[in-house]
Amino acid sequence: MGSVKTIQLSKSIYEDTDAEANELREYLKEKGVFLVNIMSSPGAGKTTTLISLINRLSKHFRIGVMEADIDSDVDAVKIADKTGCKSVQLHTGGMCHLDAAMTRQGLDALGIDDLDLVFLENVGNLVCPAEFDTGATMSMTILSVSEGDDKPLKYPLIYQKCDLVLINKIDAMPYFTFNLDRCIANIKMRNGNSTIIPISAKTGENMSEVEGYFINKTISGGKCKNA
């Protein structure tokens, strides 16, 4: 019987991407730009939440947005029309996520010399976006009531990676079998350090609390803070 050579693989397939992400974070810190990676499943209300948030934060920050989708420019056009902020559309060519190199291309196209805060609306997906470091200063995810309170149990990584979780569409809770306390407990089980804010982007409920979160997170002495 012939011998078989065994090779031990120890280098992460994400090692190069992680290095690019760290370099991008340092670059953004030098430029004084705070980059937020927004993740969620399709239909959770990312764009609606972002519009509401930008309209509140625009009095504090110069804001830009990168919209990532497999195709179309619907969201980028909507953001520009509803907020007036600078917006670019990123087509992933069928890929279900963005990585740091793709994010850097988007930032170059957007132009960040006149910006303080940039939102990256990642591709709608609960798996792939969480696996790749975009180089963002912080990450947030949006979970909608219509998805169910067990999502953090089924898709743990995206919640483990997030600093902020918004539970959206709480105005619709009477119409769904959704337990808010159980959902919060499930998120905390995955990430005890995450900040959790139940909101309704549609009605504006608790959006002032989200506004305050970003002000406290990013402003230090009147300047943007990467922290």
Side-chain angles (χ1 to χ4, degrees), residues 159-193:
Y159 297 96
Q160 291 168 2
K161 292 290 185 73
C162 280
D163 306 283
L164 173 66
V165 181
L166 302 182
I167 302 175
N168 192 25
K169 305 183 183 181
I170 58 173
D171 55 304
M173 277 200 297
Y175 308 103
F176 293 93
T177 305
F178 183 91
N179 187 305
L180 182 59
D181 291 337
R182 183 162 59 225
C183 184
I184 292 173
N186 289 339
I187 295 168
K188 286 296 185 182
M189 184 188 305
R190 298 306 188 189
N191 184 353
N193 295 320

Side-chain angles (χ1 to χ4, degrees), residues 77-161:
V77 171
K78 185 183 295 185
I79 287 287
D81 287 346
K82 297 291 186 180
T83 69
C85 75
K86 187 159 57 172
S87 175
V88 296
Q89 185 73 49
L90 309 180
H91 285 169
T92 65
M95 297 181 68
C96 59
H97 68 275
L98 292 178
D99 59 24
M102 299 159 82
T103 301
R104 183 65 179 262
Q105 292 180 60
L107 290 169
D108 290 343
L110 182 66
I112 60 173
D113 287 340
D114 59 346
L115 298 177
D116 306 304
L117 177 61
V118 176
F119 289 102
L120 168 62
E121 185 175 334
N122 216 315
V123 180
N125 190 308
L126 290 178
V127 180
C128 300
E131 295 179 341
F132 291 86
D133 192 339
T134 61
T137 313
M138 65 161 280
S139 292
M140 62 178 275
T141 192
I142 301 173
L143 166 67
S144 67
V145 165
S146 57
E147 295 174 74
D149 51 42
D150 59 354
K151 277 295 180 292
L153 303 180
K154 296 180 177 181
Y155 301 92
L157 185 60
I158 197 168
Y159 297 96
Q160 291 168 2
K161 292 290 185 73

Side-chain angles (χ1 to χ4, degrees), residues 7-21:
I7 301 173
Q8 184 68 38
L9 299 177
S10 58
K11 182 177 179 180
S12 169
I13 62 172
Y14 299 111
E15 188 171 312
D16 290 341
T17 296
D18 291 345
E20 290 177 335

